[in-house]
Amino acid sequence: MKEKLRNILLERSDDISRDWQERIAKLVPEWSEETLKSFMQEMMTALYIYLLDQKLQAAMRHIHQILNDYFPAASEGATILINSFLLNRYILLAKMTEQGESALNSLEVFGFLNDLYNPLVVAVFEQYHVTNQPLMLPEQFSSSCITNLNALEFAGVGFFVLDRDATIIYWSRGVEKIHNLKANKVVGRNLFEHNPEWRHQTLLESAILSALQNGEGKELTDIKMRINKEKFIFNILIAALFDARGLPVGCSILIHDVTQQKSQETQLYRYEQYFENILNDAADAIILLNENHRIIMWNLAAEHLFGYSEEEVFGKDLSLLLHNTQHSLDEMGQMDQMVIDKGFVRNQRMRMLARDGRNVLVEITRTVLRNKRNDFIGSSVILRDITQQEQLRQQVIQSEKLSAVGTLAAGIAHEVGTPLTSISSLAQILQMKVENQEFKDKLSLIQQSIDRISRTVRTLVDFSRPLTEKVEDIYLNNVIEHVVRILKYDKRLKHQEIIVELEPSIPLVRASFDQILQVFINICLNAADAMEGHKDGRLLIKTWSNSRLVCASITDNGSGIAKRDISHIFEPFFTTKKDGKGTGLGLWVSYNIITSFSGDIKVESIEGSGTTFTLSLPIHLK
């Protein structure tokens, strides 16, 4: 700021001199233009000695000469000189804030110039015993200065000066507005005697007296004061004024009325609390992005959904939540551009990635954010987790498929069963009549194929009918022990290891023993097929329970299930086995049996490593 002042003084001295002369002319209207011009040259010299060379004593010697040359009485001339310097201060304020007219900038410059001029003004005042008359303020300023001073007054800023006895010697228009008292009513009076509201502030009175007596300045904030029965809140800056010997001779006091600001801050704080509560109570994840699509706000729902805290994601790109694939990045890039071009994106589905690796399916709604100039400044993002909703939808689709198969099953059995019976009968007759062994072998193959088709049709019909099996309390460990005895005779598991880990104290469940037995056999035989060709195949069957469910798992270390196939394995007629080795109905049947008893089947598989089926049935409470 000092460098800026120096440049203005050197580069714009003619402008400063001209503006200053116009204003001083109103202080001494009786002077001729020639006298005024000569006076201005001397004043500019004194001012530049003080401001540029920073030589107060040299400037005072020049001022003494000016007083002798132009005024009959030094005290009268000193008053005009002090007013002239104050005028010059406002001229420089205008010059220094022409390109920055904010109240904050003006206040900083005003404080800087005030501190700069105070030693000179105090020195003139003390040396020539100026009478306590109101120091005159300029009636007109440049448009820039008027704008800045209006901004200061609008902001409730006032400034006054006290001498060593706390007598008011300067009272600005800003203070006039705050106290509703004109300068000519208060200048020359003691601050505390004439303004009791200042005396009642113990902390404030102590700070002012400390500045006057000890030269210690102080800044006080949030000082509450009642003026004319109206409540105010002030920030107050007290600065001591010193003479050439460094002794305190007075103080300047800058007061800023922050009543409205504090009220607005309180109201803003309430709005912020409301806004924060709304955001954090929202069920959907809400994110704000800046103009570079980086995260600047992240609510609690987003934290719970993705597992990241706001501190961890602040300033990060939204791609943090995407799968590391080109498709995902391209999809997000297209969405970014659509938001800018169109202004919004509604209910677009996207798969995202949580911190723990979970896949999260969300519906995204993004809306553009623009400022008053219609510049793009960011976007709001609302993410609704529809992972569970999608799972339920898939279950409904699965149920509809199963329902359709059940409806068609009886018709299929009739349409297929009748021709099969005829074909089977004819094949048996031909086998009895032909002598050629080759024909007999081929007819035998036909008969085997017919039997396989018949079994498939019977299975389909059996599980499309309402369950008629006996439902009773069963001990799941007994079912598994029975399954293991049967599996020992299957050639596919003859050389594989079967491990059983059964929790002995599991509760009873309500189900059909034979149907649950069939479920375990179906899954175990599938495991046997998956381990075919493995020399170290292992089948592990476990049971356990919790407060609501009895659970069992069947784990193999076979070939596993491809990720693309897992969502289809419970569909009817879906199989990954070679032709002739599977009907695609085993898991579909098992799924129907377990769900008919209010249970559930889940599968986890790693292709090439093995598969685990987990069955759960509700505990039967008698």
Side-chain angles (χ1 to χ4, degrees):
M1 200 173 292
K2 288 182 179 179
E3 187 63 28
K4 184 173 183 179
L5 174 62
R6 184 178 184 85
N7 292 336
I8 289 174
L9 290 172
L10 294 174
E11 296 171 6
R12 305 182 64 179
S13 60
D14 291 342
D15 292 342
I16 295 170
S17 178
R18 183 176 57 254
D19 293 344
W20 200 9
Q21 183 173 325
E22 289 176 0
R23 287 154 179 77
I24 290 178
K26 296 179 181 180
L27 299 178
V28 283
E30 68 278 7
W31 283 7
S32 66
E33 185 175 346
E34 184 178 349
T35 302
L36 183 61
K37 187 175 181 180
S38 173
F39 175 75
M40 277 305 308
Q41 290 176 349
E42 298 298 333
M43 287 290 286
M44 287 289 288
T45 301
L47 184 68
Y48 275 49
I49 290 173
Y50 175 66
L51 293 180
L52 293 179
D53 298 338
Q54 298 181 354
K55 295 179 179 179
L56 177 60
Q57 294 304 319
M60 287 298 295
R61 286 194 294 271
H62 201 84
I63 288 171
H64 182 74
Q65 188 62 45
I66 292 172
L67 291 173
N68 289 336
D69 292 344
Y70 291 91
F71 299 97
S75 60
E76 178 187 349
T79 300
I80 292 176
L81 259 62
I82 289 175
N83 280 292
S84 298
F85 288 134
L86 293 177
L87 285 169
N88 184 267
R89 180 179 63 179
Y90 285 109
I91 290 170
L92 290 180
L93 173 64
K95 302 296 183 188
M96 293 182 70
T97 58
E98 281 177 347
Q99 297 179 348
E101 298 183 355
S102 69
L104 177 61
N105 186 45
S106 300
L107 188 57
E108 290 176 352
V109 175
F110 182 81
F112 166 72
L113 292 174
N114 185 62
D115 291 341
L116 195 61
Y117 274 81
N118 272 345
L120 180 63
V121 172
V122 169
V124 174
F125 179 86
E126 187 179 52
Q127 185 167 340
Y128 297 101
H129 305 290
V130 178
T131 57
N132 292 332
Q133 296 297 320
L135 296 178
M136 297 178 63
L137 290 174
E139 296 178 2
Q140 295 179 345
F141 302 102
S142 68
S143 59
S144 173
C145 189
I146 290 173
T147 302
N148 286 296
L149 290 176
N150 286 339
L152 287 172
E153 291 180 2
F154 176 79
V157 176
F159 177 78
F160 64 94
V161 179
L162 304 179
D163 68 8
R164 189 179 300 168
D165 300 321
T167 300
I168 301 169
I169 60 174
Y170 177 69
W171 190 261
S172 74
R173 282 190 292 181
V175 190
E176 287 182 343
K177 288 188 175 184
I178 293 172
H179 280 266
N180 196 25
L181 284 172
K182 293 293 184 181
N184 56 11
K185 298 290 185 182
V186 296
V187 171
R189 295 175 179 268
N190 185 278
L191 173 68
F192 300 114
E193 293 176 359
H194 192 265
N195 301 85
E197 60 271 14
W198 287 76
R199 186 175 65 250
H200 295 156
Q201 295 283 341
T202 306
L203 183 63
L204 181 57
E205 182 181 11
S206 174
I208 293 174
L209 293 177
S210 178
L212 295 175
Q213 297 168 7
N214 306 320
E216 297 175 355
K218 193 163 189 177
E219 183 175 359
L220 304 173
T221 58
D222 297 341
I223 299 297
K224 296 179 181 178
M225 192 179 294
R226 185 182 291 273
I227 301 174
N228 298 326
K229 298 183 179 180
E230 188 176 352
K231 293 180 179 178
F232 289 88
I233 301 175
F234 295 119
N235 288 343
I236 300 176
L237 179 64
I238 303 169
L241 303 177
F242 301 92
D243 61 15
R245 296 167 296 173
L247 299 176
V249 293
C251 69
S252 63
I253 300 175
L254 185 69
I255 63 174
H256 184 193
D257 179 9
V258 294
T259 310
Q260 186 176 4
Q261 176 186 334
K262 291 296 180 181
S263 175
Q264 290 173 345
E265 286 177 358
T266 302
Q267 191 173 14
L268 179 61
Y269 176 76
R270 289 175 182 167
Y271 285 143
E272 287 176 347
Q273 290 298 305
Y274 296 152
F275 181 65
E276 186 175 347
N277 289 338
I278 290 170
L279 285 179
N280 289 329
D281 290 342
D284 295 332
I286 301 176
I287 304 170
L288 290 185
L289 306 178
N290 64 12
E291 66 276 13
N292 297 317
H293 309 294
R294 297 198 173 269
I295 298 168
I296 57 174
M297 199 218 69
W298 177 269
N299 75 341
L300 285 179
E303 185 173 326
H304 294 153
L305 179 59
F306 294 106
Y308 293 100
S309 67
E310 186 172 13
E311 292 76 14
E312 291 175 302
V313 300
F314 189 86
K316 302 287 182 63
D317 195 274
L318 202 59
S319 59
L320 171 73
L321 307 176
L322 300 181
H323 291 272
N324 190 22
T325 64
Q326 192 59 45
H327 172 74
S328 296
L329 296 175
D330 290 344
E331 190 176 8
M332 182 58 70
Q334 291 170 4
M335 185 186 297
D336 292 342
Q337 193 59 46
M338 188 183 301
V339 169
I340 296 174
D341 296 341
K342 191 178 178 182
F344 63 89
V345 171
R346 295 283 185 269
N347 300 326
Q348 180 168 326
R349 290 192 171 199
M350 180 176 284
R351 291 199 175 274
M352 306 188 88
L353 193 64
R355 182 175 189 170
D356 58 5
R358 285 181 296 110
N359 284 310
V360 182
L361 181 64
V362 297
E363 276 187 350
I364 301 180
T365 296
R366 281 183 67 176
T367 306
V368 71
L369 299 176
R370 297 188 182 277
N371 60 18
K372 291 182 179 180
R373 297 190 301 273
N374 204 36
D375 300 326
F376 174 74
I377 59 172
S379 60
S380 64
V381 185
I382 300 176
L383 303 170
R384 175 161 294 176
D385 181 11
I386 59 170
T387 308
Q388 188 174 11
Q389 177 183 328
E390 180 63 17
Q391 290 172 348
L392 292 173
R393 191 178 75 86
Q394 292 298 330
Q395 290 177 10
V396 169
I397 293 172
Q398 177 81 353
S399 299
E400 289 175 350
K401 288 180 181 179
L402 300 181
S403 177
V405 171
T407 303
L408 295 172
I412 292 173
H414 175 73
E415 295 296 331
V416 175
T418 301
L420 280 178
T421 302
S422 300
I423 295 170
S424 178
S425 299
L426 290 172
Q428 291 175 28
I429 292 171
L430 289 173
Q431 274 184 308
M432 289 186 291
K433 289 190 174 184
V434 297
E435 299 292 337
N436 190 309
Q437 187 60 41
E438 183 180 355
F439 284 167
K440 282 189 175 185
D441 292 341
K442 290 181 179 179
L443 288 169
S444 177
L445 288 174
I446 292 173
Q447 187 62 48
Q448 291 174 14
S449 297
I450 291 170
D451 291 342
R452 188 161 62 85
I453 294 172
S454 297
R455 287 196 302 272
T456 300
V457 171
R458 282 198 303 273
T459 302
L460 187 62
V461 171
D462 288 343
F463 291 99
S464 65
R465 294 174 183 159
L467 292 173
T468 57
E469 295 285 345
K470 180 182 179 182
V471 177
E472 57 188 341
D473 291 344
I474 63 172
Y475 184 50
L476 202 58
N477 287 352
N478 288 343
V479 177
I480 293 172
E481 289 169 354
H482 199 71
V483 169
V484 172
R485 286 196 294 270
I486 294 173
L487 293 177
K488 287 180 179 179
Y489 297 100
D490 190 283
K491 63 180 181 180
R492 289 168 291 184
L493 291 169
K494 187 175 182 180
H495 301 292
Q496 311 292 10
E497 182 181 10
I498 300 176
I499 303 171
V500 179
E501 297 179 3
L502 306 180
E503 182 182 306
S505 58
I506 59 172
L508 300 177
V509 296
R510 190 76 174 170
S512 165
F513 186 96
D514 290 338
Q515 288 184 343
I516 298 299
L517 178 70
Q518 183 175 355
V519 169
F520 277 93
I521 289 175
N522 285 344
I523 295 175
C524 288
L525 291 180
N526 282 344
D529 289 335
M531 293 187 294
E532 189 173 2
H534 287 233
K535 294 181 180 180
D536 56 348
R538 188 180 69 167
L539 182 67
L540 172 63
I541 306 175
K542 298 171 64 175
T543 60
W544 69 93
S545 64
N546 56 35
S547 59
R548 297 185 303 107
L549 301 170
V550 174
C551 304
S553 65
I554 303 166
T555 303
D556 67 72
N557 61 347
S559 57
I561 304 171
K563 186 180 291 186
R564 64 178 180 276
D565 294 332
I566 287 181
S567 60
H568 302 291
I569 61 174
F570 294 116
E571 295 177 2
F573 305 110
F574 179 83
T575 181
T576 58
K577 297 178 183 178
K578 296 178 181 178
D579 292 342
K581 295 202 69 175
T583 63
L585 293 173
L587 288 178
W588 172 63
V589 168
S590 300
Y591 178 86
N592 274 273
I593 291 173
I594 293 298
T595 55
S596 70
F597 296 118
S598 302
D600 190 23
I601 299 182
K602 293 181 179 178
V603 60
E604 296 177 6
S605 184
I606 300 175
E607 191 172 4
S609 297
T611 302
T612 297
F613 282 87
T614 302
L615 291 70
S616 57
L617 291 165
I619 294 172
H620 179 54
L621 301 175
K622 296 183 179 180

